Amino acid sequence: MARTHFIFLVLMFSSSSSSSSSPPSSLSLSREQEEDRIQALPGQPKVRFSQFSGYVTVNESHGRSLFYWLTESSSSPHTKPLLLWLNGGPGCSSIAYGASEEIGPFRINSTGSNLYLHNFSWNTEANLLFLESPVGVGFSYTNTSSDLKESGDERTAEENLIFLIKWMSRFPQYQYRDFYIAGESYAGHYVPQLAKKIHEYNKACNKPIINLKGFMVGNPEMDKTNDKLGTITYWWSHAMISDASYNSILKNCNFTAERFTKECDSTIYDAAADFGDIDQYSIYTPKCVPKFIGNKQTHKTLLPKPILDEYDPCTESYAEIYYNRPEVQRAMHANRTAIPYKWTACSDSVFNSWNWRDSDNSMLPVYKELMEAGLRIWVFSGDTDSVIPVTATRFSLSKLNLPVKTRWYPWYSGNQVGGRTEVYEGLTFVTVRGAGHEVPLFKPQSSLILLRSFLAGKELPRS
């Protein structure tokens, strides 16, 4: 309790200038924003929206700073809501995934040299704020190396909140604006935990500047017991493992235990050999195949050259080329400390040193608390993901025992079934047909319909 009280004092002090009757001069704020303005990214097509990127320091004494990228809405940015996107991992970059292959306005070509427009970008509906969190992810950094061995859920949520308050002090036009959070995978922890921090912060402030309206998460980690059981069930029900492997797992694994035994781990490992060489995040699409030219590794698919806005399994490798280019980093005001390692889509060091003792076994109590607070909450699931599959999400949601408001029905994207949905009291569940782990990457048009319905607070279209 004392730690939380201290955090609120720090946050309230850091935001006091923006919530007082005499805010900082617009000149100084304008100068800060202009310093973060992206004039144009290398290889970028002409656009009609503004972009900003840079750093916000979230811990002065340790020198921890988080990197962000704001792409304003392509229409009516002054009235559209603000949406923060977080990727999971833990250790994966929202720039690499959310911005560059899921919901952002640009896609990267196969050589990592140019950008082209994404026809179903979410910035048609909202101002998009991408955050690389926690420190050690992407361009976000710390001057204290021991910080990288101490990352966990609690510090990540605290520093994401500090980031938001300081960022809104830099961009006061977004204070009090309708605000939403979205993310996927391990952001199934980040998103509701940050929403809870914001809710607590708002209750503690006389005049809160973060107008949180709701959040949504895709293929999220929700509850360790149900996630594990739901994953094994998905493997068997989708013919990824044999009956013998499935029965052996059920015999040797206790899904309610905090940790699996070595015998259980060994059984699961043996069962995974049944998969074959597939992309477990998207079980029906081709995986990216490395191709070596001399000593240099490139990537290719087993299909003809992808058509724009169609799924390309090698897109992550294009991001790692593009964001390591010095001219791109200069344009984005990134890598100001000249980190001695390459920018990567996911940080192995962050994941491998994650403090799993500071990782909630279940997020369901947080969902209950935030539903009672009246937040709009949507959970969506691509139904071809075997890593955090739709069965895991359904098992977890069933534990909430929510009354059904609108019974299960198919929703439509154009003239095709986009998925299915069921609306409960306090929460909406959505499946996206044919989508893998990164739902907007696989089904961009359906995902944009999902976003529009979520922001409008309306049920998904029935036809």
Side-chain angles (χ1 to χ4, degrees), residues 426-437:
L427 185 147
T428 295
F429 173 61
V430 181
T431 74
V432 183
R433 187 166 72 109
H437 190 67

Side-chain angles (χ1 to χ4, degrees), residues 411-439:
W411 63 275
Y412 282 79
S413 175
N415 59 1
Q416 301 291 329
V417 172
R420 288 92 188 176
T421 181
E422 188 154 73
V423 182
Y424 305 101
E425 295 290 345
L427 185 147
T428 295
F429 173 61
V430 181
T431 74
V432 183
R433 187 166 72 109
H437 190 67
E438 299 170 65
V439 169

Side-chain angles (χ1 to χ4, degrees), residues 5-203:
H5 179 65
F6 172 75
I7 292 166
F8 281 139
L9 288 175
V10 172
L11 293 174
M12 292 174 72
F13 176 79
S14 68
S15 63
S16 60
S17 60
S18 59
S19 59
S20 67
S21 57
S22 301
S25 70
S26 59
L27 179 62
S28 62
L29 288 173
S30 175
R31 186 180 301 116
E32 277 192 291
Q33 291 185 38
E34 285 302 325
E35 288 175 355
D36 284 0
R37 180 184 293 278
I38 297 174
Q39 299 300 332
L41 293 170
Q44 172 200 304
K46 290 183 178 180
V47 294
R48 296 182 178 180
F49 56 86
S50 296
Q51 305 177 74
F52 303 84
S53 62
Y55 288 92
V56 172
T57 300
V58 293
N59 185 293
E60 296 283 353
S61 61
H62 283 226
R64 293 200 291 268
S65 294
L66 298 182
F67 184 78
Y68 81 90
W69 181 12
L70 171 70
T71 59
E72 292 194 323
S73 179
S74 55
S75 63
S76 305
H78 301 299
T79 59
K80 291 284 177 65
L82 176 67
L83 184 143
L84 171 70
W85 176 272
L86 298 170
N87 277 93
C92 293
S93 163
S94 299
I95 304 296
Y97 295 101
S100 301
E101 60 182 50
E102 295 189 74
I103 68 170
F106 301 121
R107 291 286 184 268
I108 305 170
N109 71 353
S110 60
T111 63
S113 59
N114 290 296
L115 306 176
Y116 59 92
L117 290 175
H118 173 213
N119 291 332
F120 300 100
S121 173
W122 285 15
N123 85 323
T124 59
E125 308 300 320
N127 300 284
L128 303 180
L129 179 60
F130 301 97
L131 178 63
E132 294 195 304
S133 172
V135 292
V137 174
F139 293 122
S140 296
Y141 70 91
T142 176
N143 293 331
T144 308
S145 58
S146 61
D147 286 345
L148 300 177
K149 299 179 180 179
E150 299 170 357
S151 290
D153 285 11
E154 179 65 20
R155 194 180 76 186
T156 299
E158 290 174 355
E159 295 192 343
N160 286 348
L161 175 59
I162 294 170
F163 164 84
L164 274 176
I165 294 168
K166 288 191 169 185
W167 185 87
M168 286 190 175
S169 179
R170 187 179 302 180
F171 288 82
Q173 64 267 39
Y174 286 103
Q175 294 177 9
Y176 316 111
R177 186 85 61 94
D178 284 0
F179 176 67
Y180 299 90
I181 316 173
E184 67 192 19
S185 195
Y186 198 76
H189 282 222
Y190 296 160
V191 171
Q193 286 167 343
L194 176 56
K196 181 179 178 180
K197 291 286 185 187
I198 294 171
H199 177 61
E200 293 171 346
Y201 167 75
N202 284 347
K203 287 197 299 184

Side-chain angles (χ1 to χ4, degrees), residues 128-394:
L128 303 180
L129 179 60
F130 301 97
L131 178 63
E132 294 195 304
S133 172
V135 292
V137 174
F139 293 122
S140 296
Y141 70 91
T142 176
N143 293 331
T144 308
S145 58
S146 61
D147 286 345
L148 300 177
K149 299 179 180 179
E150 299 170 357
S151 290
D153 285 11
E154 179 65 20
R155 194 180 76 186
T156 299
E158 290 174 355
E159 295 192 343
N160 286 348
L161 175 59
I162 294 170
F163 164 84
L164 274 176
I165 294 168
K166 288 191 169 185
W167 185 87
M168 286 190 175
S169 179
R170 187 179 302 180
F171 288 82
Q173 64 267 39
Y174 286 103
Q175 294 177 9
Y176 316 111
R177 186 85 61 94
D178 284 0
F179 176 67
Y180 299 90
I181 316 173
E184 67 192 19
S185 195
Y186 198 76
H189 282 222
Y190 296 160
V191 171
Q193 286 167 343
L194 176 56
K196 181 179 178 180
K197 291 286 185 187
I198 294 171
H199 177 61
E200 293 171 346
Y201 167 75
N202 284 347
K203 287 197 299 184
C205 292
N206 292 327
K207 192 178 181 183
I209 62 173
I210 306 176
N211 186 19
L212 178 63
K213 294 294 186 180
F215 66 85
M216 65 175 174
V217 285
N219 292 80
E221 291 198 20
M222 296 187 75
D223 179 275
K224 285 184 169 58
T225 296
N226 292 298
D227 287 347
K228 293 171 184 176
L229 180 59
T231 299
I232 301 303
T233 303
Y234 187 91
W235 293 355
W236 177 79
S237 64
H238 286 71
M240 295 174 66
I241 61 174
S242 68
D243 291 355
S245 293
Y246 178 61
N247 291 327
S248 181
I249 292 173
L250 295 182
K251 177 182 176 182
N252 290 289
C253 296
N254 178 5
F255 291 95
T256 62
E258 185 172 340
R259 292 178 180 272
F260 280 164
T261 63
K262 289 183 179 180
E263 186 177 19
C264 171
D265 285 338
S266 177
T267 305
I268 292 175
Y269 180 82
D270 291 341
D274 294 350
F275 297 170
D277 190 14
I278 64 167
D279 182 352
Q280 296 176 42
Y281 293 93
S282 175
I283 63 173
Y284 299 128
T285 55
K287 62 178 296 183
C288 185
V289 179
K291 177 183 178 182
F292 291 88
I293 301 176
N295 293 324
K296 185 177 181 181
Q297 178 177 310
T298 60
H299 294 81
K300 68 175 183 177
T301 70
L302 296 181
L303 296 176
K305 185 177 180 180
I307 301 172
L308 297 187
D309 289 321
E310 286 195 358
Y311 172 61
D312 179 352
C314 296
T315 183
E316 178 183 321
S317 65
Y318 311 156
E320 294 200 353
I321 297 171
Y322 188 77
Y323 293 113
N324 274 297
R325 292 171 54 192
E327 63 271 29
V328 172
Q329 295 179 4
R330 285 193 297 270
M332 298 186 76
H333 324 112
N335 198 11
R336 66 183 183 187
T337 58
I339 52 179
Y341 49 84
K342 285 189 175 182
W343 180 95
T344 57
C346 290
S347 168
D348 290 338
S349 62
V350 171
F351 179 84
N352 292 333
S353 61
W354 193 258
N355 180 8
W356 292 107
R357 294 184 302 277
D358 180 20
S359 176
D360 290 336
N361 284 325
S362 178
M363 297 306 300
L364 300 182
V366 179
Y367 277 82
K368 289 181 180 179
E369 180 179 343
L370 296 176
M371 283 188 286
E372 291 174 0
L375 293 183
R376 184 181 307 155
I377 302 174
W378 284 34
V379 177
F380 61 95
S381 187
D383 62 13
T384 67
D385 174 27
S386 73
V387 177
I388 309 177
V390 63
T391 44
T393 302
R394 294 178 75 179

Side-chain angles (χ1 to χ4, degrees), residues 426-458:
L427 185 147
T428 295
F429 173 61
V430 181
T431 74
V432 183
R433 187 166 72 109
H437 190 67
E438 299 170 65
V439 169
L441 169 63
F442 295 93
K443 295 293 179 180
Q445 183 174 0
S446 296
S447 298
L448 188 57
I449 293 170
L450 171 68
L451 174 72
R452 287 170 178 161
S453 298
F454 168 73
L455 293 178
K458 297 180 179 179

